[in-house]
Amino acid sequence: MPVFTGYSMLKKAEVFPTNGQKTNTNIYVMRHAERVDNLFENWISNCSSADGKYVRYDSNMPISLPKREGSIESFRFDSPLTNIGAFESSLIGESLALAGVNIRHAYSSPALRCVQTCHNVFRGAGINDVSIKIEPGLFEWVSLYAGIYPSFMTQEELVNAGFFINKNYQPLYSYDLLKTLLDETSEQYYQRGYDVVNKILKEVSENGGGDILLLGHGSTLDICSRQLIGSKPRDGDVIGRLLYEVPYCGMIKLQQLNNQWKIVDNDVPGISHSSNKGFDYNILHNFY
């Protein structure tokens, strides 16, 4: 997987070096880290013991799952991170700290993989005084779920699982409002991202500014930046192709230069690692 600093579907003219008159707020938009369900097919069935308990069968799976209402089935559309996913997101946090980035505001999609990524970014960066604000408006394109609305962990469940959640945050998009978007068009999805970013910028400005981390999905990088930089929303068929262009922990940086938001050179390097197939020792018995 190549090192990620931008993404190829952006025109070069839309990416700028960091110079000119700047504000005291930068926006870092990031995709979540490696998720269990994309790596392990049928993991829920294969991880369920006879009495319904979670039992991992690969060392890259989490040792345990956070407690939430329902059985292991409640994770089917709300996958956790792999152990490598937790580690790679902590490495991004380390890089943020080394680059001198001082995240003061964090907003996350309600998807567990996004909350876990944000949590581990903070661990890697040594940030322990910034709470995570859950913004359902940052969830990915709802139409991708073919009419099945995912269930998310409640704020209380997330807090009990050890995540530093801001329980006083009032999101722009409530869970109930998100449920009405099962037939969301691509235009509506772009507008949702634009509305959320503007709401966040207003809130951050009223609280003294500072760098912002938006933790979402592969398409979030475009959804939350496209109209902010003055470009038109893309066609719906592009969103699917865009997902393959943004690797786990892909990140862009937005900066306001001369009163115009731009995607600028990122001061945080991307992360690359090789794929690794699981090992079955029986190959030594069966290999000829």
Side-chain angles (χ1 to χ4, degrees):
M1 184 179 292
V3 172
F4 179 81
T5 55
Y7 47 97
S8 62
M9 298 188 76
L10 283 172
K11 297 178 181 178
K12 290 184 179 179
E14 294 172 351
V15 181
F16 293 78
T18 52
N19 52 33
Q21 183 180 355
K22 308 172 187 176
T23 66
N24 70 334
T25 295
N26 299 307
I27 307 173
Y28 294 85
V29 191
M30 179 177 172
R31 186 192 178 193
H32 60 78
E34 182 181 78
R35 52 192 282 185
V36 169
D37 60 346
N38 273 3
L39 184 60
F40 301 103
E41 188 176 2
N42 299 321
W43 75 278
I44 289 180
S45 299
N46 295 328
C47 285
S48 299
S49 65
D51 56 356
K53 294 181 179 179
Y54 167 77
V55 180
R56 68 174 184 167
Y57 60 86
D58 190 281
S59 293
N60 193 19
M61 291 179 165
I63 294 175
S64 62
L65 298 177
K67 293 182 179 179
R68 64 189 296 178
E69 184 178 358
S71 66
I72 191 175
E73 281 291 330
S74 59
F75 293 94
R76 184 168 296 279
F77 297 105
D78 190 26
S79 173
L81 293 182
T82 63
N83 288 333
I84 286 178
F87 178 63
E88 66 183 349
S89 49
S90 71
L91 291 179
I92 294 295
E94 182 182 88
S95 293
L96 282 167
L98 289 173
V101 178
N102 186 23
I103 299 295
R104 303 312 306 158
H105 310 272
Y107 299 80
S108 174
S109 159
L112 176 59
R113 57 192 179 274
C114 297
V115 179
Q116 287 180 314
T117 300
C118 191
H119 173 79
N120 284 290
V121 166
F122 281 5
R123 288 183 64 184
I127 298 172
N128 54 24
D129 60 346
V130 179
S131 59
I132 302 172
K133 298 176 181 178
I134 305 298
E135 174 53 69
L138 288 174
F139 187 60
E140 62 186 335
W141 194 13
V142 185
S143 294
L144 295 175
Y145 286 76
I148 301 174
Y149 181 75
S151 62
F152 304 113
M153 293 179 65
T154 66
Q155 286 195 358
E156 183 177 358
E157 288 172 334
L158 291 171
V159 170
N160 290 338
F163 301 112
F164 187 21
I165 304 298
N166 187 323
K167 295 187 288 186
N168 297 318
Y169 175 66
Q170 296 298 317
L172 179 63
Y173 279 76
S174 66
Y175 291 110
D176 289 338
L177 181 55
L178 200 63
K179 288 180 180 179
T180 68
L181 303 178
L182 291 176
D183 296 320
E184 183 178 43
T185 66
S186 59
E187 291 81 6
Q188 290 171 328
Y189 182 32
Y190 271 98
Q191 189 60 45
R192 170 156 62 93
Y194 188 48
D195 290 344
V196 167
V197 167
N198 279 309
K199 188 260 189 185
I200 288 173
L201 285 172
K202 181 176 184 297
E203 179 179 276
V204 168
S205 176
E206 292 172 349
N207 287 279
D211 288 345
I212 304 167
L213 176 63
L214 304 184
L215 214 303
H217 308 265
S219 56
T220 305
L221 280 68
D222 200 51
I223 296 301
C224 287
S225 66
R226 187 71 179 166
Q227 289 165 275
L228 192 65
I229 64 174
S231 298
K232 295 180 180 179
R234 303 183 198 271
D235 294 335
D237 64 336
V238 177
I239 295 179
R241 291 189 286 120
L242 185 62
L243 296 177
Y244 292 99
E245 296 287 330
V246 183
Y248 292 129
C249 293
M251 177 191 290
I252 59 169
K253 177 182 178 181
L254 289 154
Q255 191 174 83
Q256 196 171 26
L257 306 173
N258 301 318
N259 298 317
Q260 174 63 52
W261 285 98
K262 306 289 185 182
I263 296 176
V264 299
D265 291 337
N266 202 341
D267 38 20
V268 179
I271 183 168
S272 304
H273 55 79
S274 62
S275 60
N276 193 64
K277 296 176 63 177
F279 176 67
D280 182 356
Y281 70 91
N282 285 303
I283 192 174
L284 300 182
H285 296 304
N286 303 324
F287 189 78
Y288 296 97

